[in-house]
Amino acid sequence: MRVAVIGSGYVGLVTGACLAEIGHRVVCMDDDAAKVRVLRDGGLPIYEPHLATLVQRNAGKGRLSFTDRVADAVQEAAIVFICVNTPPLPDGKADLSFVEMAVRRIAEQATGRCLITEKSTVPVQTGQRIERTLAIYGKRPGVEFDVASNPEFTREGMAVEDFLHPDRIVLGVSTPEAERTLRELYAPIVEGRFRCPIHTDCRQDRAVPILVTDLASAELIKHAANSFLALKISFANALADICELAGADVLQVVTGVGLDKRIGRAFLNAGIGFGGSCFPKDVKAFVKIAEEHGYDFGLLREVERINLQRRDLVVEKLKQALWILRGKRIGLLGLAFKPDTDDLREAPALAIARRLLDEGAAVQGYDPQAGEKARQALPALTVCPDPYAAATGAEALVVCTEWAEFPGLDWNRIKAAMVRPLVLDGRNALDRDQLLALGFEYLGIGRPLSPDHSRKTRE
Ligand code: UGA
């Protein structure tokens, strides 16, 4: 099938590359001509595992191309995906001006019958607005539009894998034609009929469930899913605080809670809170959407409050341990909002760095992928070439992102480089016993100060 993708950011590029990989002909469009040039030259403006291979292979086979002109992308396309940004406005609502602009341009340029599909996260009832916009600007003989909502549930760092092996595919449609087109598009994934570029021996043991809904319900599913995951994280973080007060260990508590199949262990990792371009923005937007429809979603406001408090908690813990922060050197391990990405949007590490700088501390950080972006985002932060440099001269080292390589670092070398061997493990990612045995002072999140303590509470 011929597919157009409008907006070539994280979502658009992953969508385009994966659809090309399963056999479709895809044109990805972006207004940013410089970005399009990079993509045409075989480069990638972002880091995302497996994406570069997919982009290069499919561009080489002529199944994936890039343009900065809407007309080049949408003419002859059977499906157009809208993957443009929906950034938050100052009041928390999503800014839909990029969506509107994209829809107008599609309406003006489309030829024939075309299915316009929302992938960007949008407030419920955006589909209706899109239908109206298309009716106004796309009124031409022979041109017809359907509108669908097909939310994406991919995680950064796992996006290609999530796209090709989804838990479910949600199709919010208003016509049988739209449903038929989207079913055909996703058939290779649903039936496992593609060569998996990630796993060598990848057999799908079940067909991927497809849920067909109306447009508004599909739009709500996306906000509800992200908000529920954010709620789980804030719940775990609240538990962590109670554990610290009561001398319990949050790792043990969430293991016990998560073993209940109805609850599950995923997204119960306490730490310095959730960041990224999705959860913070979507929780805020969902509160606003609810408000506009006359519902006070106080539950989600609390999720947000707990999350923002995590940053204060780190600064407080450091103050407790170091007394005065002014003039002290503090190292940060991990700057991206989560591992396996170079994305710094709403990264807790940057917010913490800003606070520490405001307190007069010198802050130096290391990240395996996000260093360069961090240098640009926060020039006052010293970005180090490796984790040992980030530890050098530091009175405390804070783990802000649980990159897989951190537990296996040479911790003796880190200790020797530090002025005071204090580790604040903001993601409970390190081996506490190993660090204590090496002579570190170890502070976790929601964990008693000494391992003996939790043993005692077990007895
Ligand atoms: C999230 C959702 O997981 C995806 O399903 C969704 O498609 C995506 O948003 C989106 O709307 O586009 P993402 O933001 O890439 O994906 O990353 P997550 O893995 O969900 O992590 C979000 C944040 O939560 C990170 O800062 C992470 O460190 C934090 N987190 C996650 C925790 O603090 N604890 C946990 O137990 C899990």
Side-chain angles (χ1 to χ4, degrees):
M1 287 177 101
R2 287 187 180 262
V3 180
V5 174
I6 308 299
S8 302
Y10 275 99
V11 174
L13 276 180
V14 170
T15 302
C18 290
L19 289 175
E21 180 72 13
I22 62 169
H24 301 296
R25 291 185 80 82
V26 184
V27 183
C28 286
M29 184 270 160
D30 202 285
D31 275 334
D32 183 342
K35 188 197 273 184
V36 170
R37 265 197 306 279
V38 169
L39 288 162
R40 279 182 176 158
D41 291 344
L44 265 194
I46 51 165
Y47 170 76
E48 180 65 39
H50 309 294
L51 190 58
T53 317
L54 259 61
V55 168
Q56 278 153 20
R57 182 165 51 229
N58 288 288
K61 286 185 177 169
R63 289 200 299 236
L64 180 63
S65 57
F66 302 97
T67 179
D68 57 2
R69 284 165 36 96
V70 172
D72 293 348
V74 302
Q75 279 167 10
E76 300 187 17
I79 305 184
V80 180
F81 280 101
I82 299 179
C83 299
V84 297
N85 270 346
T86 52
L89 291 165
D91 67 356
K93 279 191 210 158
D95 177 356
L96 297 176
S97 57
F98 297 110
V99 174
E100 198 226 13
M101 204 194 309
V103 174
R104 276 184 69 158
R105 286 154 82 191
I106 295 164
E108 284 157 9
Q109 301 295 337
T111 53
R113 186 169 184 136
C114 186
L115 174 61
I116 313 300
T117 306
E118 303 166 346
K119 258 226 182 282
S120 301
T121 305
V122 290
V124 60
Q125 293 181 351
T126 300
Q128 284 179 14
R129 294 258 175 206
I130 292 178
E131 281 171 342
R132 262 180 259 154
T133 309
L134 291 167
I136 297 166
Y137 299 100
K139 217 179 224 162
R140 285 190 305 286
V143 176
E144 265 180 88
F145 297 104
D146 275 323
V147 175
S149 164
N150 170 221
E152 55 86 24
F153 303 105
T154 53
R155 292 160 290 176
E156 280 184 27
M158 299 281 287
V160 171
E161 181 157 1
D162 285 346
F163 194 99
L164 296 172
H165 301 291
D167 288 346
R168 79 296 208 190
I169 294 175
V170 174
L171 307 180
V173 292
S174 44
T175 63
E177 173 70 8
E179 180 183 337
R180 195 193 58 71
T181 308
L182 285 166
R183 278 188 184 274
E184 189 185 327
L185 181 85
Y186 284 115
I189 290 178
V190 172
E191 296 159 17
R193 278 194 285 110
F194 65 98
R195 187 195 284 267
C196 177
I198 302 173
H199 313 107
T200 40
D201 180 22
C202 170
R203 255 175 261 122
Q204 207 134 292
D205 50 1
R206 60 173 180 98
V208 175
I210 289 193
L211 176 70
V212 180
T213 69
D214 56 73
L215 263 175
S217 300
E219 291 167 337
L220 265 183
I221 286 169
K222 172 68 190 188
H223 269 115
N226 271 5
S227 297
F228 188 77
L229 291 169
L231 181 142
K232 272 188 104 174
I233 298 168
S234 279
F235 186 83
N237 282 328
L239 270 182
D241 288 353
I242 299 167
C243 285
E244 282 189 18
L245 293 168
D249 184 339
V250 75
L251 285 183
Q252 298 179 23
V253 175
V254 295
T255 302
V257 171
L259 278 169
D260 185 326
K261 285 201 190 76
R262 295 168 303 173
I263 298 172
R265 172 66 180 80
F267 281 71
L268 285 178
N269 292 321
I272 59 173
F274 56 78
S277 63
C278 305
F279 287 175
K281 171 181 78 119
D282 291 353
V283 168
K284 239 192 192 62
F286 205 16
V287 170
K288 279 281 161 196
I289 292 165
E291 197 178 291
E292 278 171 7
H293 288 84
Y295 180 74
D296 176 10
F297 219 145
L299 178 65
L300 287 186
R301 277 206 305 274
E302 191 59 13
V303 166
E304 196 185 2
R305 192 192 62 78
I306 292 172
N307 194 52
L308 289 176
Q309 244 181 14
R310 307 314 288 166
R311 298 151 187 206
D312 303 332
L313 178 87
V314 172
V315 177
E316 271 320 302
K317 276 182 184 271
L318 287 173
K319 278 188 179 164
Q320 284 286 328
L322 300 177
W323 186 23
I324 304 294
L325 297 181
R326 179 166 299 281
K328 301 235 164 92
R329 187 168 294 279
I330 294 168
L332 304 182
L333 279 190
L335 302 169
F337 83 96
K338 60 180 264 186
D340 295 320
T341 176
D342 63 351
D343 197 340
L344 287 167
R345 286 176 288 178
E346 295 286 329
L350 284 195
I352 289 165
R354 279 193 195 95
R355 282 187 204 195
L356 294 174
L357 288 164
D358 287 348
E359 295 276 346
V363 188
Q364 52 195 33
Y366 164 75
D367 190 278
Q369 290 294 338
E372 200 38 56
K373 284 191 176 170
R375 205 189 304 275
Q376 286 162 23
L378 189 54
L381 166 75
T382 305
V383 175
C384 302
D386 60 61
Y388 305 102
T392 301
E395 311 229 8
L397 193 60
V398 185
V399 177
C400 294
T401 317
E402 67 279 30
W403 282 91
E405 67 188 66
F406 291 160
L409 295 176
D410 180 347
W411 284 94
N412 271 321
R413 192 174 152 198
I414 288 186
K415 183 167 172 245
M418 294 179 74
V419 168
R420 176 176 168 183
L422 170 68
V423 168
L424 169 46
D425 185 359
R427 298 289 186 179
N428 290 333
L430 304 177
D431 182 340
R432 175 179 60 178
D433 294 346
Q434 181 207 358
L435 262 64
L436 289 173
L438 290 177
F440 278 93
E441 295 170 68
Y442 176 93
L443 297 173
I445 302 285
R447 312 190 69 190
L449 283 180
S450 95
D452 283 350
H453 194 112
S454 68
R455 239 172 260 139
K456 273 192 212 114
T457 52
R458 245 190 352 241
E459 281 159 12

